[in-house]
Amino acid sequence: AHSINDFTCLNITKLDVLTGHPEINVCVGYEINGKKLESFPASLEVLKQVKPIYVTFKGWTEDITKIRTRAGLPSGAQDYLAFIEKEMGVPATWVGVGPGREGMVIQ
C-alpha cells in the first residue's frame, strides 16, 4: 500500500492488544522449498505450501493504556514500532494504546 500511495506517516492502532504476549512475531516474507518468494503468492495452491518467515520481538506485560509518550512505552513496544517504521520507511506519528480517542501516543 505504501509503494502505491506514498504515505508520509503511519497510524498504528491497537498496540495495547499485544500486551501480555511473551513474543510478537511479524511475518516478513515467505519461502517455498527453502527459497524465498519475491512477492506474496497469487495462487492458493502455492500459498498452501509456503512457510512464513518471522522476525520475533520481545513482548511486554505493562499496561500501556495511560502512556502518552513514545519513550514511556516498554522496550519491546518501542522495538516493534521502530521495526515497522524502518520497514515502511515512514514514521509512526500516531500510535493507539487504548480504547478511547485519548489513548494515543502522538509523535
Side-chain angles (χ1 to χ4, degrees):
H2 174 56
S3 64
I4 294 170
N5 296 299
D6 196 27
F7 306 144
T8 57
C9 63
L10 298 171
N11 180 357
I12 308 283
T13 61
K14 301 192 179 287
L15 187 65
D16 55 308
V17 302
L18 297 176
T19 298
H21 292 274
E23 295 181 335
I24 298 169
N25 292 317
V26 177
C27 183
V28 296
Y30 301 93
E31 65 179 33
I32 188 167
N33 300 324
K35 189 174 176 186
K36 186 174 178 181
L37 299 175
E38 294 299 317
S39 61
F40 189 81
S43 162
L44 291 177
E45 289 303 314
V46 173
L47 188 58
K48 288 192 310 192
Q49 301 174 50
V50 300
K51 176 183 172 196
I53 302 167
Y54 293 110
V55 172
T56 302
F57 295 92
K58 178 182 154 211
W60 59 92
T61 58
E62 300 91 330
D63 177 12
I64 64 171
T65 60
K66 304 280 189 272
I67 295 172
R68 297 294 177 263
T69 65
R70 184 83 168 255
L73 291 171
S75 63
Q78 290 184 39
D79 293 345
Y80 173 73
L81 293 172
F83 175 79
I84 292 171
E85 291 174 320
K86 183 178 177 218
E87 289 296 304
M88 295 290 297
V90 292
T93 304
W94 298 281
V95 179
V97 294
R101 289 183 184 193
E102 69 284 348
M104 186 73 59
V105 170
I106 301 173
Q107 187 164 297

